[in-house]
Structures are given as structure tokens and as C-alpha cells.
Amino acid sequence: IAGYGANGAIIHYRAEIETCAVVGAGALLLVDSGAQYADGTTDVTRTMHFGEPSAHERECFTRVLKGHIALATAAFPEGTPGFVVDAFARRPLWEVGLDYRH
């Protein structure tokens, strides 16, 4: 999945002739890729900017990174369901009234 600009915010975006965009230097590009193998599944998501990100884009990117770090360094019991630890990742966004729908 590759979504440029506003399309990058659409969960599981699918390019359509009516909504697709040409990648340029004025917005973020989100690439979500992965694969299934005999021994497991991979999921890699990357966000890129080919120009100069706005202050808002930098702040959002930094807050998502802080959420990743908080979750990666959190200690919780084995078997803890994902919805319980989700708050570690979302807290930096919630602090400024932001969230995401996925």
C-alpha cells in the first residue's frame, strides 16, 4: 500500500483513478508493506517526505515515534491483550488532542 498526501491517512488505501495522486515534494508518502513466510509474517510501514515537512508534519511524526519508543520499552505481563498496551503508543498523540483510526 502506498498513499501520498491525504491518501496516506486512509486505512488500507487502494489507488483508484479518481483518487490517486502523483508523488511529489509537498506531502508525506506512507508505504505499508509486508509478506507472509512459512515461519511468520512481516509488516513494515515507513513514512517519507521528499521535500521540507511542515512543522505540523514533524510534530506528528515525532509524537508517533515517541509512541513507538514508549511501547517498545514498556513492561507488561505475557498475554496482555493488545488493546491494553495500545495506550502506550497513543499517549503522545492524545496529549495534544490527536489520534488515529487504526
Side-chain angles (χ1 to χ4, degrees):
I1 300 169
Y4 179 71
N7 292 336
I10 299 171
I11 300 167
H12 297 167
Y13 171 72
R14 182 181 177 130
E16 303 285 348
I17 260 319
E18 303 80 25
T19 61
C20 66
V22 175
V23 175
L28 295 167
L29 172 66
L30 180 121
V31 177
D32 186 359
S33 63
Q36 292 184 337
Y37 299 95
D39 295 328
T41 302
T42 65
D43 184 17
V44 178
T45 303
R46 296 291 180 260
T47 306
M48 297 161 267
H49 202 297
F50 301 111
E52 182 67 29
S54 70
H56 179 70
E57 288 168 334
R58 284 192 302 273
E59 179 184 6
C60 291
F61 185 92
T62 300
R63 289 184 176 279
V64 169
L65 176 59
K66 287 180 176 183
H68 278 275
I69 293 168
L71 185 55
T73 59
F76 44 85
E78 185 175 336
T80 301
F83 74 88
V84 173
V85 298
D86 187 61
F88 288 102
R90 292 179 187 261
R91 181 179 176 184
L93 293 169
W94 290 346
E95 289 173 345
V96 293
L98 297 173
D99 203 359
Y100 54 92
R101 295 177 27 199
H102 197 323

XYZ file of all heavy atoms in Angstrom:
769
model
N 0.862 -1.173 0.000
C 0.000 0.000 0.000
C 0.905 1.231 0.000
O 1.849 1.307 0.773
C -0.894 0.029 1.255
C -1.784 -1.211 1.317
C -1.717 1.311 1.299
C -2.497 -1.400 2.639
N 0.615 2.161 -0.863
C 1.334 3.434 -0.886
C 0.301 4.545 -1.008
O -0.523 4.531 -1.917
C 2.317 3.483 -2.045
N 0.325 5.470 -0.057
C -0.609 6.593 -0.087
C 0.140 7.896 0.060
O 0.935 8.073 0.988
N -0.084 8.822 -0.841
C 0.582 10.118 -0.828
C -0.389 11.199 -0.370
O -1.549 11.226 -0.772
C 1.108 10.449 -2.223
C 1.794 11.789 -2.315
C 3.021 11.988 -1.718
C 1.204 12.841 -2.982
C 3.664 13.218 -1.791
C 1.830 14.077 -3.065
C 3.063 14.257 -2.459
O 3.694 15.479 -2.532
N 0.103 12.090 0.473
C -0.734 13.180 0.969
C -1.898 12.648 1.788
O -1.736 11.756 2.619
N -3.086 13.159 1.534
C -4.280 12.746 2.290
C -4.568 11.254 2.122
O -5.125 10.622 3.022
C -5.483 13.572 1.842
N -4.167 10.672 1.006
C -4.405 9.243 0.798
C -3.645 8.377 1.802
O -4.044 7.263 2.094
C -4.023 8.832 -0.628
C -4.951 9.427 -1.655
O -6.088 9.762 -1.367
N -4.458 9.583 -2.871
N -2.545 8.888 2.336
C -1.775 8.152 3.324
C -2.515 7.974 4.638
O -2.162 7.112 5.435
N -3.539 8.763 4.871
C -4.314 8.663 6.109
C -5.488 7.698 5.979
O -6.158 7.403 6.969
C -4.835 10.045 6.510
N -5.731 7.192 4.792
C -6.844 6.268 4.569
C -6.373 4.856 4.879
O -5.407 4.364 4.297
C -7.362 6.357 3.115
C -7.870 7.775 2.831
C -8.438 5.316 2.855
C -8.188 8.031 1.369
N -7.047 4.205 5.826
C -6.680 2.853 6.228
C -6.806 1.919 5.032
O -7.837 1.865 4.378
C -7.571 2.384 7.394
C -7.398 3.317 8.597
C -7.249 0.938 7.777
C -8.443 3.141 9.664
N -5.741 1.191 4.744
C -5.681 0.239 3.626
C -6.086 0.892 2.306
O -6.846 0.331 1.520
C -6.524 -1.001 3.918
C -6.020 -1.767 5.093
N -6.744 -2.748 5.693
C -4.869 -1.691 5.803
C -6.068 -3.238 6.708
N -4.919 -2.608 6.796
N -5.571 2.095 2.097
C -5.841 2.856 0.867
C -5.606 2.004 -0.365
O -4.660 1.223 -0.440
C -4.943 4.095 0.810
C -4.994 4.815 -0.510
C -6.118 5.534 -0.874
C -3.930 4.757 -1.409
C -6.180 6.188 -2.093
C -3.981 5.405 -2.623
C -5.109 6.120 -2.961
O -5.175 6.766 -4.159
N -6.452 2.159 -1.323
C -6.322 1.474 -2.609
C -6.415 2.538 -3.696
O -7.412 3.258 -3.799
C -7.448 0.456 -2.757
C -7.371 -0.331 -4.025
C -8.539 -1.288 -4.105
N -8.505 -1.990 -5.362
C -8.605 -3.292 -5.478
N -8.785 -4.031 -4.414
N -8.571 -3.848 -6.657
N -5.374 2.626 -4.497
C -5.330 3.647 -5.541
C -6.436 3.420 -6.560
O -6.612 2.323 -7.070
C -3.980 3.640 -6.229
N -7.164 4.455 -6.833
C -8.213 4.458 -7.854
C -7.941 5.643 -8.772
O -7.390 6.655 -8.355
C -9.601 4.609 -7.208
C -9.959 3.554 -6.174
C -10.318 2.203 -6.777
O -10.518 2.155 -8.006
O -10.376 1.226 -6.034
N -8.336 5.540 -9.988
C -8.125 6.611 -10.977
C -8.645 7.951 -10.446
O -8.033 8.981 -10.632
C -8.800 6.218 -12.316
C -7.827 5.667 -13.334
C -9.615 7.290 -12.929
C -6.505 6.216 -13.570
N -9.784 7.919 -9.740
C -10.420 9.153 -9.263
C -9.708 9.763 -8.059
O -9.868 10.949 -7.782
C -11.888 8.893 -8.872
C -12.761 8.315 -9.968
C -12.595 6.808 -10.153
O -12.203 6.095 -9.209
O -12.840 6.342 -11.276
N -8.949 8.970 -7.293
C -8.382 9.466 -6.044
C -6.864 9.410 -5.980
O -6.285 9.918 -5.024
C -8.927 8.656 -4.847
O -8.548 7.279 -5.005
C -10.432 8.775 -4.734
N -6.216 8.804 -6.951
C -4.764 8.651 -6.871
C -4.072 10.014 -6.981
O -4.646 10.985 -7.446
C -4.255 7.690 -7.929
S -4.447 8.256 -9.627
N -2.833 10.044 -6.520
C -2.060 11.281 -6.546
C -0.660 10.974 -7.052
O -0.150 9.869 -6.890
C -1.987 11.888 -5.148
N -0.033 11.960 -7.645
C 1.345 11.838 -8.100
C 2.250 12.234 -6.937
O 2.063 13.283 -6.325
C 1.605 12.736 -9.327
C 3.072 12.703 -9.724
C 0.708 12.311 -10.481
N 3.228 11.392 -6.622
C 4.149 11.675 -5.529
C 5.032 12.850 -5.914
O 5.571 12.912 -7.021
C 5.010 10.434 -5.214
C 6.055 10.759 -4.149
C 4.130 9.273 -4.777
N 5.158 13.779 -4.974
C 5.978 14.966 -5.194
C 6.716 15.344 -3.932
O 6.926 14.511 -3.047
N 7.066 16.596 -3.812
C 7.845 17.077 -2.673
C 6.993 17.825 -1.657
O 7.518 18.348 -0.685
C 8.973 17.982 -3.167
N 5.670 17.834 -1.837
C 4.835 18.677 -0.994
C 4.070 17.991 0.114
O 3.339 18.653 0.839
N 4.221 16.674 0.261
C 3.439 15.980 1.291
C 4.157 14.691 1.684
O 5.186 14.329 1.108
C 2.030 15.665 0.773
N 3.583 14.007 2.659
C 4.139 12.741 3.128
C 3.710 11.589 2.230
O 2.610 11.597 1.680
C 3.657 12.456 4.555
C 4.142 13.427 5.625
C 3.359 13.225 6.918
C 5.626 13.248 5.872
N 4.589 10.594 2.109
C 4.278 9.345 1.424
C 4.334 8.237 2.462
O 5.349 8.077 3.149
C 5.292 9.056 0.313
C 5.183 7.670 -0.341
C 3.860 7.530 -1.099
C 6.369 7.407 -1.256
N 3.247 7.487 2.599
C 3.192 6.359 3.509
C 3.267 5.076 2.688
O 2.504 4.905 1.737
C 1.899 6.368 4.326
C 1.813 5.195 5.297
C 1.675 5.701 6.713
C 0.662 4.299 4.937
N 4.213 4.213 3.033
C 4.351 2.917 2.376
C 4.173 1.842 3.437
O 4.889 1.831 4.439
C 5.726 2.769 1.681
C 5.873 1.382 1.058
C 5.902 3.852 0.627
N 3.212 0.974 3.229
C 2.908 -0.113 4.161
C 3.064 -1.417 3.387
O 2.317 -1.691 2.456
C 1.482 0.036 4.682
C 1.125 -0.967 5.773
O 1.976 -1.812 6.121
O -0.005 -0.914 6.266
N 4.075 -2.191 3.751
C 4.332 -3.423 3.017
C 4.553 -4.573 3.988
O 4.759 -4.369 5.175
C 5.555 -3.261 2.112
O 6.710 -3.022 2.902
N 4.514 -5.754 3.473
C 4.738 -6.919 4.302
C 4.688 -8.175 3.467
O 4.467 -8.133 2.258
N 4.909 -9.287 4.132
C 4.897 -10.571 3.436
C 4.602 -11.676 4.432
O 4.788 -11.513 5.638
C 6.236 -10.814 2.757
N 4.136 -12.788 3.907
C 3.899 -13.964 4.731
C 4.884 -15.039 4.309
O 5.039 -15.327 3.120
C 2.467 -14.454 4.587
C 1.483 -13.473 5.174
C 0.060 -13.982 5.135
O -0.280 -14.843 4.343
N -0.769 -13.451 6.004
N 5.528 -15.622 5.296
C 6.504 -16.682 5.077
C 6.074 -17.910 5.868
O 5.192 -17.829 6.735
C 7.898 -16.222 5.539
C 8.395 -15.012 4.796
C 8.217 -13.727 5.309
C 9.031 -15.146 3.569
C 8.679 -12.618 4.627
C 9.498 -14.040 2.874
C 9.314 -12.778 3.414
O 9.762 -11.681 2.732
N 6.720 -19.025 5.636
C 6.392 -20.262 6.352
C 6.571 -20.089 7.861
O 5.826 -20.677 8.648
C 7.264 -21.405 5.847
N 7.532 -19.260 8.268
C 7.830 -19.100 9.690
C 7.276 -17.824 10.312
O 7.569 -17.527 11.471
C 9.341 -19.136 9.909
C 9.938 -20.483 9.565
O 9.245 -21.498 9.738
O 11.090 -20.512 9.107
N 6.522 -17.028 9.586
C 5.984 -15.817 10.191
C 5.558 -14.790 9.169
O 5.668 -14.989 7.964
N 5.088 -13.689 9.680
C 4.579 -12.600 8.868
C 5.349 -11.333 9.199
O 5.665 -11.086 10.363
C 3.080 -12.384 9.145
O 2.390 -13.598 8.866
C 2.501 -11.268 8.310
N 5.656 -10.531 8.194
C 6.314 -9.246 8.418
C 5.343 -8.122 8.048
O 4.461 -8.298 7.213
C 7.578 -9.091 7.563
O 7.209 -9.058 6.187
C 8.556 -10.206 7.820
N 5.511 -6.996 8.685
C 4.722 -5.806 8.379
C 5.637 -4.611 8.602
O 6.137 -4.411 9.707
C 3.493 -5.720 9.280
C 2.600 -4.541 8.926
O 2.736 -3.990 7.822
O 1.765 -4.163 9.766
N 5.880 -3.855 7.556
C 6.782 -2.714 7.635
C 6.045 -1.494 7.105
O 5.534 -1.509 5.984
C 8.063 -2.958 6.803
C 8.981 -1.746 6.858
C 8.781 -4.205 7.279
N 5.997 -0.450 7.909
C 5.381 0.804 7.478
C 6.426 1.903 7.577
O 7.101 2.032 8.594
C 4.168 1.155 8.357
O 3.238 0.070 8.314
C 3.488 2.423 7.867
N 6.562 2.676 6.538
C 7.517 3.787 6.506
C 6.816 5.046 6.016
O 5.960 5.001 5.138
C 8.703 3.477 5.583
C 9.557 2.307 6.043
C 10.313 2.664 7.322
N 11.129 1.561 7.783
C 10.780 0.730 8.758
N 9.632 0.855 9.349
N 11.608 -0.227 9.137
N 7.212 6.168 6.596
C 6.700 7.467 6.192
C 7.868 8.288 5.684
O 8.896 8.386 6.358
C 6.026 8.176 7.385
O 5.028 7.308 7.935
C 5.389 9.479 6.956
N 7.718 8.866 4.501
C 8.801 9.628 3.879
C 8.290 10.981 3.402
O 7.103 11.130 3.125
C 9.350 8.854 2.680
C 9.979 7.528 3.063
S 10.120 6.417 1.652
C 8.592 5.524 1.821
N 9.212 11.904 3.305
C 8.915 13.215 2.730
C 10.069 13.561 1.810
O 11.223 13.456 2.206
C 8.772 14.266 3.829
C 7.992 15.467 3.404
N 8.414 16.305 2.396
C 6.824 15.964 3.838
C 7.524 17.272 2.243
N 6.551 17.080 3.106
N 9.787 13.944 0.585
C 10.830 14.233 -0.386
C 11.094 15.727 -0.522
O 11.835 16.151 -1.406
C 10.469 13.619 -1.741
C 10.279 12.127 -1.647
C 9.023 11.570 -1.804
C 11.343 11.293 -1.372
C 8.839 10.203 -1.706
C 11.177 9.929 -1.268
C 9.917 9.372 -1.437
N 10.495 16.502 0.352
C 10.710 17.944 0.373
C 10.988 18.373 1.799
O 11.675 17.681 2.544
N 10.433 19.488 2.200
C 10.597 20.015 3.559
C 9.282 19.826 4.314
O 8.287 20.481 4.000
C 10.955 21.502 3.502
C 11.198 22.126 4.856
C 12.445 21.596 5.548
O 13.403 21.199 4.853
O 12.449 21.575 6.792
N 9.245 18.915 5.306
C 7.998 18.706 6.045
C 7.598 19.961 6.824
O 8.465 20.718 7.279
C 8.323 17.564 7.012
C 9.721 17.170 6.780
C 10.325 18.073 5.758
N 6.301 20.151 6.964
C 5.793 21.286 7.737
C 6.049 21.049 9.221
O 6.349 19.918 9.650
C 4.295 21.454 7.493
O 3.589 20.381 8.099
N 5.905 22.074 10.015
C 6.068 21.943 11.469
C 5.057 20.938 12.023
O 5.387 20.128 12.898
C 5.906 23.306 12.141
N 3.832 20.966 11.512
C 2.802 20.024 11.970
C 3.175 18.584 11.607
O 3.030 17.674 12.431
C 1.444 20.396 11.384
C 0.340 19.475 11.793
N -0.151 19.439 13.084
C -0.359 18.551 11.097
C -1.111 18.520 13.154
N -1.249 17.970 11.958
N 3.674 18.370 10.398
C 4.088 17.026 9.987
C 5.235 16.524 10.860
O 5.243 15.360 11.289
C 4.506 17.020 8.511
C 3.346 17.171 7.563
C 3.763 17.443 6.133
O 4.870 17.994 5.904
O 2.981 17.116 5.226
N 6.190 17.391 11.158
C 7.319 16.997 12.018
C 6.838 16.662 13.423
O 7.276 15.683 14.025
C 8.384 18.103 12.064
C 9.232 18.165 10.817
C 10.458 19.053 10.993
N 10.150 20.414 11.361
C 9.886 21.392 10.492
N 9.900 21.131 9.200
N 9.614 22.594 10.908
N 5.914 17.477 13.943
C 5.398 17.208 15.294
C 4.656 15.872 15.330
O 4.862 15.068 16.244
C 4.466 18.321 15.777
C 3.927 18.008 17.155
C 2.919 19.007 17.697
O 2.512 19.929 16.961
O 2.529 18.840 18.862
N 3.807 15.617 14.367
C 3.062 14.353 14.333
C 4.004 13.169 14.199
O 3.850 12.156 14.908
C 2.045 14.354 13.195
S 0.683 15.503 13.437
N 4.986 13.274 13.315
C 5.960 12.198 13.125
C 6.693 11.922 14.439
O 6.862 10.765 14.849
C 6.951 12.583 12.032
C 7.926 11.503 11.682
C 7.652 10.617 10.661
C 9.126 11.371 12.371
C 8.557 9.608 10.317
C 10.031 10.368 12.042
C 9.740 9.484 11.017
N 7.109 12.990 15.123
C 7.836 12.853 16.389
C 6.964 12.217 17.460
O 7.420 11.355 18.218
C 8.355 14.226 16.852
O 9.225 14.750 15.842
C 9.111 14.122 18.169
N 5.697 12.598 17.518
C 4.794 12.017 18.512
C 4.538 10.533 18.238
O 4.457 9.734 19.170
C 3.496 12.801 18.588
C 3.709 14.160 19.232
C 2.440 14.956 19.421
N 2.755 16.185 20.126
C 2.915 16.280 21.448
N 2.770 15.221 22.202
N 3.215 17.432 22.001
N 4.422 10.159 16.983
C 4.271 8.735 16.648
C 5.539 7.982 17.047
O 5.470 6.885 17.623
C 3.934 8.547 15.161
C 4.034 7.081 14.747
C 2.534 9.085 14.868
N 6.707 8.560 16.780
C 7.968 7.939 17.186
C 8.025 7.768 18.701
O 8.428 6.713 19.206
C 9.150 8.772 16.694
C 10.537 8.293 17.132
C 10.805 6.873 16.647
C 11.605 9.261 16.633
N 7.617 8.788 19.447
C 7.595 8.681 20.912
C 6.675 7.551 21.361
O 6.983 6.839 22.322
C 7.136 10.007 21.539
C 8.179 11.097 21.472
C 7.660 12.368 22.112
C 8.712 13.455 22.139
N 8.239 14.663 22.830
N 5.560 7.381 20.662
C 4.656 6.285 20.981
C 5.288 4.930 20.722
O 5.143 3.997 21.520
N 6.014 4.817 19.625
C 6.728 3.570 19.310
C 7.747 3.252 20.407
O 7.852 2.115 20.869
C 7.463 3.681 17.972
C 6.604 3.452 16.789
N 6.327 2.205 16.286
C 5.957 4.322 15.988
C 5.550 2.311 15.228
N 5.298 3.587 15.030
N 8.492 4.262 20.817
C 9.508 4.065 21.852
C 8.846 3.681 23.173
O 9.318 2.769 23.869
C 10.381 5.328 21.998
C 11.220 5.519 20.726
C 11.272 5.232 23.239
C 11.907 6.879 20.625
N 7.758 4.353 23.520
C 7.064 4.031 24.771
C 6.578 2.591 24.779
O 6.708 1.877 25.785
C 5.891 4.993 24.982
N 6.033 2.141 23.680
C 5.543 0.770 23.598
C 6.702 -0.231 23.602
O 6.649 -1.262 24.274
C 4.687 0.581 22.348
C 4.000 -0.767 22.189
C 3.140 -1.099 23.401
C 3.149 -0.775 20.935
N 7.770 0.087 22.886
C 8.919 -0.824 22.815
C 9.621 -0.982 24.153
O 10.233 -2.021 24.415
C 9.918 -0.324 21.769
N 9.538 0.027 25.014
C 10.231 -0.029 26.302
C 9.306 -0.352 27.467
O 9.762 -0.430 28.607
C 10.961 1.304 26.578
O 10.005 2.368 26.578
C 12.035 1.566 25.531
N 8.026 -0.540 27.190
C 7.060 -0.840 28.258
C 7.230 -2.274 28.761
O 7.583 -3.177 27.998
C 5.639 -0.633 27.741
N 6.976 -2.447 30.031
C 6.991 -3.791 30.624
C 5.556 -4.150 31.001
O 4.866 -3.364 31.650
C 7.883 -3.806 31.857
N 5.122 -5.315 30.565
C 3.775 -5.778 30.887
C 3.781 -7.296 30.880
O 4.641 -7.928 30.252
C 2.737 -5.204 29.912
C 3.149 -5.245 28.470
C 2.939 -6.377 27.691
C 3.767 -4.146 27.889
C 3.320 -6.412 26.372
C 4.162 -4.182 26.553
C 3.933 -5.320 25.801
N 2.838 -7.917 31.588
C 2.827 -9.379 31.690
C 2.572 -10.063 30.352
O 1.849 -9.541 29.502
C 1.671 -9.666 32.654
C 1.347 -8.376 33.313
C 1.787 -7.288 32.388
N 3.166 -11.218 30.175
C 2.919 -12.031 28.993
C 1.428 -12.310 28.885
O 0.756 -12.550 29.889
C 3.685 -13.353 29.090
C 3.576 -14.192 27.846
C 4.435 -15.443 27.897
O 5.424 -15.451 28.648
O 4.112 -16.397 27.189
N 0.911 -12.246 27.685
C -0.509 -12.495 27.471
C -1.379 -11.255 27.579
O -2.591 -11.325 27.393
N -0.766 -10.095 27.874
C -1.542 -8.856 27.951
C -2.117 -8.558 26.572
O -1.387 -8.533 25.585
C -0.648 -7.686 28.404
O -0.092 -7.994 29.679
C -1.433 -6.385 28.491
N -3.432 -8.332 26.483
C -4.025 -8.072 25.161
C -3.565 -6.736 24.573
O -3.258 -5.788 25.297
C -5.530 -8.062 25.427
C -5.714 -8.049 26.897
C -4.407 -8.385 27.543
N -3.528 -6.687 23.252
C -3.056 -5.507 22.546
C -3.796 -4.230 22.892
O -3.195 -3.161 22.987
N -5.121 -4.318 23.108
C -5.875 -3.089 23.390
C -5.435 -2.455 24.703
O -5.581 -1.250 24.889
C -7.395 -3.358 23.391
C -7.908 -4.103 24.586
C -8.301 -3.430 25.736
C -8.004 -5.484 24.569
C -8.778 -4.113 26.842
C -8.477 -6.187 25.669
C -8.855 -5.494 26.812
N -4.838 -3.239 25.600
C -4.376 -2.702 26.883
C -3.101 -1.886 26.691
O -2.952 -0.819 27.284
C -4.156 -3.850 27.899
C -3.512 -3.325 29.179
C -5.472 -4.553 28.209
N -2.187 -2.356 25.857
C -0.922 -1.649 25.663
C -1.009 -0.575 24.576
O -0.088 0.225 24.419
C 0.226 -2.641 25.363
C 0.431 -3.581 26.531
C -0.011 -3.403 24.077
N -2.105 -0.523 23.863
C -2.304 0.463 22.804
C -2.141 1.893 23.325
O -1.636 2.765 22.617
C -3.689 0.267 22.182
C -3.903 1.134 20.959
O -3.151 0.963 19.982
O -4.812 1.972 20.993
N -2.535 2.116 24.558
C -2.448 3.462 25.127
C -1.003 3.958 25.208
O -0.755 5.163 25.102
C -3.094 3.495 26.507
N -0.034 3.068 25.380
C 1.369 3.484 25.388
C 1.723 4.167 24.073
O 2.438 5.165 24.060
C 2.303 2.276 25.582
C 2.301 1.700 26.957
C 1.599 0.533 27.220
C 3.003 2.299 27.992
C 1.599 -0.022 28.489
C 3.010 1.749 29.266
C 2.302 0.577 29.517
N 1.244 3.624 22.969
C 1.552 4.177 21.655
C 0.778 5.456 21.370
O 1.274 6.349 20.693
C 1.262 3.137 20.572
N -0.434 5.558 21.875
C -1.282 6.708 21.549
C -1.088 7.921 22.461
O -1.449 9.040 22.087
C -2.751 6.283 21.584
C -3.109 5.315 20.472
C -4.572 4.903 20.567
N -4.893 3.858 19.629
C -5.469 4.051 18.454
N -5.806 5.253 18.068
N -5.724 3.028 17.665
N -0.545 7.709 23.644
C -0.468 8.802 24.616
C 0.160 10.087 24.069
O -0.399 11.179 24.275
C 0.259 8.342 25.874
C 0.327 9.447 26.900
C 1.013 9.040 28.166
N 1.105 10.199 29.044
C 1.707 10.192 30.193
N 2.268 9.087 30.626
N 1.760 11.281 30.916
N 1.331 10.029 23.387
C 1.898 11.288 22.889
C 0.962 12.038 21.939
O 0.984 13.273 21.883
C 3.179 10.838 22.165
C 3.540 9.537 22.814
C 2.216 8.884 23.121
N 0.137 11.323 21.202
C -0.845 11.978 20.331
C -2.000 12.532 21.146
O -2.445 13.664 20.932
C -1.364 10.986 19.289
C -0.343 10.529 18.250
C -0.886 9.356 17.463
C 0.046 11.660 17.339
N -2.502 11.734 22.087
C -3.627 12.169 22.922
C -3.292 13.450 23.683
O -4.169 14.276 23.927
C -4.004 11.081 23.911
C -4.645 9.868 23.312
C -5.167 9.721 22.054
C -4.844 8.607 23.948
N -5.664 8.456 21.871
C -5.486 7.750 23.021
C -4.532 8.108 25.211
C -5.832 6.443 23.326
C -4.870 6.797 25.506
C -5.520 5.976 24.578
N -2.024 13.613 24.065
C -1.614 14.798 24.839
C -1.914 16.108 24.112
O -2.045 17.147 24.759
C -0.126 14.712 25.166
C 0.192 13.651 26.204
C 1.689 13.439 26.404
O 2.488 13.895 25.554
O 2.054 12.805 27.411
N -2.016 16.053 22.785
C -2.309 17.285 22.022
C -3.606 17.159 21.232
O -3.835 17.880 20.272
C -1.134 17.656 21.076
C 0.097 18.060 21.888
C -0.827 16.534 20.112
N -4.457 16.198 21.649
C -5.772 16.069 21.027
C -5.768 15.350 19.695
O -6.733 15.460 18.929
N -4.716 14.596 19.373
C -4.662 13.846 18.110
C -4.911 12.362 18.366
O -4.806 11.889 19.495
C -3.287 14.017 17.453
C -2.909 15.428 17.035
C -1.467 15.478 16.549
C -3.851 15.945 15.958
N -5.233 11.625 17.319
C -5.437 10.187 17.404
C -5.409 9.630 15.984
O -5.314 10.379 15.005
C -6.781 9.856 18.061
C -6.825 8.457 18.670
O -5.813 7.729 18.576
O -7.850 8.098 19.239
N -5.463 8.345 15.857
C -5.565 7.709 14.552
C -6.604 6.592 14.633
O -6.893 6.101 15.718
C -4.211 7.197 14.050
C -3.490 6.284 15.011
C -3.649 4.907 14.941
C -2.637 6.802 15.983
C -2.979 4.071 15.817
C -1.981 5.956 16.862
C -2.138 4.606 16.778
O -1.493 3.777 17.640
N -7.162 6.212 13.495
C -8.312 5.303 13.472
C -7.947 3.854 13.215
O -8.770 3.090 12.743
C -9.289 5.771 12.383
C -9.900 7.100 12.645
C -10.794 7.554 11.522
N -11.368 6.458 10.771
C -11.872 6.547 9.569
N -11.872 7.701 8.960
N -12.380 5.511 8.956
N -6.754 3.449 13.489
C -6.384 2.072 13.169
C -5.706 1.432 14.356
O -4.951 2.013 15.036
C -5.467 2.070 11.959
C -5.337 0.731 11.303
N -5.297 -0.444 11.966
C -5.229 0.403 9.996
C -5.153 -1.457 11.124
N -5.112 -0.964 9.908
